[in-house]
């Protein structure tokens, strides 16, 4: 859950976001190890009194400080490459949703279900539980369903972003960007436009309601 004033990641609601959080923690551990090692060498070199004025090079020492950084880079590279492949788009989708960015609201359409598009505007503060986040028409997505999002814009560049999902895609006029997503828990999940798109840029939130699949079919599309 996102909380006010937090400096931590939101809880991941997709496997991609969970791997992103794990990768962040992995890199932080590697960075702490490097800082401790470099700090120890620097402090030790400042306080010791052993100098060899006749040593102008050392093949062993140069080999060590070349190999050790390479090993640390490998520890970062392998999880990074694995995560990049996990983030690749799936070839099989259960449904497709079209997203259009406007100044300053979002439009959604269930492309393969034959329903008309609807607009999603931010609610006024008096009608909203969470300031600048609630909308009048939330996007409803079934739980544990592979969804393809096709994102574009009708005016300027916007950015469709859900932090807890680990997705961010630009909505560019005249261009279709695509991403795949799957929620692994039900609930309400929010985001905002992450591209400065004009005067009311901060007033076009994104709200997704994730419901069980049967409830989605029975309550919304009967």
């Amino acid at each position: 859950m996102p909380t006010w004033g937090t400096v931590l990641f939101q809880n991941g609601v997709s496997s991609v976001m969970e791997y992103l959080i794990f990768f962040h923690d992995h890199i932080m551990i590697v960075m702490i190890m490097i800082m401790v090692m470099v700090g120890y060498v620097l402090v030790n070199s400042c306080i010791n009194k052993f100098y060899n004025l006749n040593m102008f090079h050392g093949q062993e020492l140069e080999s060590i400080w070349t190999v050790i950084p390479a090993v640390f880079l490998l520890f970062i590279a392998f999880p990074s490459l694995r995560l990049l492949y996990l983030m690749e788009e799936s070839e099989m989708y259960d449904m497709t949703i079209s997203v259009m960015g406007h100044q300053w609201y979002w439009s959604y359409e269930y492309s393969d279900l034959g329903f008309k598009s609807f607009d999603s505007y931010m609610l006024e503060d008096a009608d909203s539980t969470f300031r600048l986040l609630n909308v009048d028409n939330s996007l409803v997505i079934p739980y544990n369903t592979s969804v393809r999002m096709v994102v574009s814009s009708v005016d300027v560049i916007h950015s469709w972003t859900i932090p807890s999902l680990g997705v961010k895609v630009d909505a560019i006029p005249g261009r279709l960007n695509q991403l795949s997503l799957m929620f692994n828990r039900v609930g309400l999940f929010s985001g905002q436009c992450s591209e400065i798109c004009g005067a009311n840029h901060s007033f076009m939130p994104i709200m997704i309601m994730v419901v069980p699949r049967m409830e989605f079919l029975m309550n919304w599309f009967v």
Side-chain angles (χ1 to χ4, degrees), residues 124-145:
E124 297 290 339
D125 289 346
D127 303 324
S128 176
T129 305
F130 299 105
R131 182 175 179 268
L132 303 182
L133 289 179
N134 273 5
V135 297
D136 54 357
N137 293 313
S138 301
L139 176 64
V140 182
I141 294 180
Y143 158 76
N144 201 23
T145 301

Side-chain angles (χ1 to χ4, degrees), residues 59-74:
Q59 294 295 333
E60 295 83 3
L61 183 60
E62 292 180 3
S63 299
I64 290 173
W65 69 41
T66 301
V67 171
I68 290 180
V71 172
F72 280 117
L73 289 175
L74 289 176

Side-chain angles (χ1 to χ4, degrees), residues 56-107:
F56 297 99
H57 66 88
Q59 294 295 333
E60 295 83 3
L61 183 60
E62 292 180 3
S63 299
I64 290 173
W65 69 41
T66 301
V67 171
I68 290 180
V71 172
F72 280 117
L73 289 175
L74 289 176
F75 274 109
I76 296 175
F78 286 127
S80 175
L81 292 173
R82 181 171 182 268
L83 180 58
L84 285 175
Y85 280 102
L86 287 174
M87 295 173 67
E88 285 293 322
E89 298 175 357
S90 173
E91 296 182 357
M92 300 296 295
Y93 303 100
D94 296 322
M95 61 185 301
T96 300
I97 299 176
S98 298
V99 182
M100 295 295 293
H102 305 260
Q103 289 183 315
W104 288 270
Y105 62 96
W106 297 98
S107 294

Side-chain angles (χ1 to χ4, degrees), residues 89 93 96-100 148-153 157-160 168-180:
E89 298 175 357
Y93 303 100
T96 300
I97 299 176
S98 298
V99 182
M100 295 295 293
R148 175 174 60 180
M149 308 293 292
V150 181
V151 184
S152 185
S153 172
I157 298 177
H158 301 277
S159 185
W160 196 84
K168 180 179 183 293
V169 60
D170 289 336
I172 303 174
R175 176 175 175 178
L176 297 178
N177 284 334
Q178 178 177 303
L179 76 154
S180 58

